[in-house]
Amino acid sequence: MSFMKKIGILNGPNLNWLGKREPEIYGHTTLADLERGLADYAANLGNCEIECFQSNHEGALIDKIYDWAERGFEGIVFNPGAFTHTSIALRDALAGAGIATVEVHISNVHAREEFRHRSLTAPVCRGQICGLGLKGYAYALEALANQRPEVSE
Ligand code: DQA
């Protein structure tokens, strides 16, 4: 039996284009670079291993959440992209699967257009990090890796 916590890094629509997409908002780092950096970060934490998945399709993201639930994942770092603001189905999947999830946004969604201010997914997450750039993923990963289920922080 492994004592490593399994944590999923889940990225939603348009995040495959990270590094090329609106770099003035999202920066120049690619998704592959981000995922490599997070794998190194997890190795340094020493108590978790990550699996990464990105899709532009709502159903594929939902399927992955249940796949990770069945495989005993203990955390998800999730940037749902624009589905944050629209997807009741993703919210239901997160609530149904019951994996501790931290929602991450690279940009400060509250400083942007009104339609980005509401998150349908955040209420079923442990917390939300936004506006801290790509570092937000690492902070979320560390929080999930060090969470103790018996303590409600
Ligand atoms: C985003 C913010 C969303 O509003 C947007 O649709 C994205 C990226 C972010 O990481 O800042 O695709 O989730």
Side-chain angles (χ1 to χ4, degrees):
M1 184 177 143
S2 166
F3 293 101
M4 290 288 213
K5 284 183 181 166
K6 284 187 277 186
I7 296 178
I9 310 294
L10 191 57
N11 277 290
N14 302 305
L15 290 157
N16 58 314
W17 215 239
L18 208 53
K20 290 184 275 194
R21 165 195 188 205
E22 299 181 275
E24 65 289 356
I25 299 176
Y26 301 115
H28 293 276
T29 305
T30 65
L31 181 61
D33 287 341
L34 169 66
E35 291 178 345
R36 254 192 304 275
L38 290 172
D40 289 347
Y41 199 82
N44 278 327
L45 288 172
N47 61 354
C48 64
E49 52 197 11
I50 64 166
E51 186 174 302
C52 300
F53 184 77
Q54 186 277 332
S55 180
N56 295 324
H57 305 276
E58 195 176 25
L61 295 166
I62 292 169
D63 289 346
K64 184 50 72 180
I65 290 167
Y66 288 119
D67 173 48
W68 284 343
E70 275 174 359
R71 291 167 53 209
F73 277 51
E74 292 183 55
I76 300 177
V77 176
F78 189 15
N79 185 346
F83 288 149
T84 305
H85 319 297
T86 62
S87 180
I88 298 169
L90 270 171
R91 177 199 178 117
D92 287 351
L94 292 171
I99 305 175
T101 298
V102 175
E103 180 171 307
V104 172
H105 299 288
I106 300 163
S107 64
N108 181 357
V109 285
H110 303 290
R112 299 180 64 193
E113 302 94 328
E114 183 94 37
F115 63 82
R116 296 186 203 275
H117 296 181
R118 185 181 67 154
S119 171
L120 295 185
T121 39
V124 296
C125 292
R126 290 287 295 272
Q128 185 199 53
I129 297 174
C130 79
L132 303 183
L134 297 184
K135 286 201 175 79
Y137 288 87
Y139 299 146
L141 174 58
E142 184 161 352
L144 289 166
N146 293 329
Q147 72 182 333
R148 286 177 295 154
E150 70 277 16
V151 178
S152 67
E153 293 108 335

